[in-house]
Amino acid sequence: WDFIRRSPWSNFAKFVFFFASIQFGVSIAGPYFSLYMLRDLQFSYFEFTLVTASAVVSQLFALKNWGAISQSFGNRRILAVCGHGVALIPLLWLLNDNIWYLIVIQIYSGFVWSGFNLAAQNFMFDAVKPAKRARCAAYQAIVNGFFVLTGSLIGAALIPHLTAINVAIKSSDLHASNLLYLFLISGIVRLLSTLVFLPMFKEV
């Protein structure tokens, strides 16, 4: 409660709520990308694995470069660039369902997520004194966990309503899957999180 009470004046607390709000937006749609590929796009398990693995491979190759970039430009600037980049990911899924297009999107996803996560971890190390890092890491984990849980519950609660909308609007191929609405909501929430919370904290 002390952490929450001090959050309007704490640079680190503002960063924590920024990071958690991004994860909130991610968790709204995160569990459903696999369902979308397997159920709605009817990908084979090989195609599904290919799309999923492309993001992981991209992250591995991008991490070293992001480390050098963050040292040159600062972690907050990387969070700003990658935060907007992360917000675009679910929106790009709305444009096309071709497997090669999705692989390119996943490569892009791995690239921006690796920068975002690395900068977020480095920012915490810079913003918190060594003696308080364990405690502050626990604060961040609790807040982040609460936001992820809430986002997941909201996403699950929205599915029946989105299905009803999808039934009402069935003339366009864009609305072939009710999960696309969830991707749209997730992208908007991520973008709003970046626009609202990012200006609140400063580089250390």
Side-chain angles (χ1 to χ4, degrees):
W1 296 116
D2 288 339
F3 172 78
I4 294 173
R5 190 174 64 250
R6 290 195 302 266
S7 60
W9 301 277
S10 169
N11 193 55
F12 173 71
K14 293 173 184 176
F15 156 74
V16 167
F17 283 102
F18 160 71
F19 183 84
S21 65
I22 292 288
Q23 299 301 323
F24 169 77
V26 170
S27 62
I28 290 175
Y32 302 104
F33 285 95
S34 298
L35 179 63
Y36 174 66
M37 286 186 280
L38 293 172
R39 185 195 69 181
D40 299 336
L41 301 185
Q42 297 185 339
F43 281 0
S44 67
Y45 283 113
F46 174 76
E47 291 172 323
F48 168 75
T49 304
L50 197 62
V51 173
T52 306
S54 57
V56 179
V57 174
S58 174
Q59 286 190 55
L60 293 175
F61 281 103
L63 269 174
K64 181 179 180 180
N65 294 324
W66 278 122
I69 294 171
S70 64
Q71 285 183 342
S72 300
F73 296 98
N75 294 307
R76 187 192 174 281
R77 193 168 295 179
I78 302 303
L79 287 171
V81 173
C82 292
H84 287 90
V86 163
L88 287 176
I89 294 170
L91 303 179
L92 293 173
W93 278 72
L94 305 178
L95 302 180
N96 201 313
D97 59 9
N98 178 270
I99 183 172
W100 299 110
Y101 170 80
L102 295 181
I103 288 174
V104 172
I105 298 306
Q106 285 292 84
I107 292 172
Y108 163 78
S109 173
F111 179 74
V112 293
W113 268 119
S114 62
F116 184 84
N117 289 328
L118 181 65
Q121 186 177 32
N122 289 341
F123 188 92
M124 187 193 75
F125 289 141
D126 290 341
V128 178
K129 295 178 180 179
K132 295 183 177 181
R133 280 178 186 164
R135 186 196 311 172
C136 289
Y139 287 152
Q140 182 177 4
I142 292 170
V143 173
N144 192 59
F146 175 78
F147 274 63
V148 168
L149 172 63
T150 305
S152 300
L153 294 174
I154 289 174
L158 285 173
I159 288 290
H161 303 287
L162 298 176
T163 302
I165 294 173
N166 198 45
V167 169
I169 312 173
K170 201 64 177 178
S171 59
S172 172
D173 288 339
L174 178 64
H175 305 99
S177 171
N178 59 328
L179 298 179
L180 294 178
Y181 295 102
L182 212 57
F183 298 169
L184 176 63
I185 294 169
S186 175
I188 292 172
V189 171
R190 299 183 200 189
L191 183 59
L192 289 175
S193 300
T194 302
L195 295 175
V196 171
F197 287 102
L198 190 63
M200 293 184 179
F201 65 94
K202 300 177 180 180
E203 180 68 87
V204 179

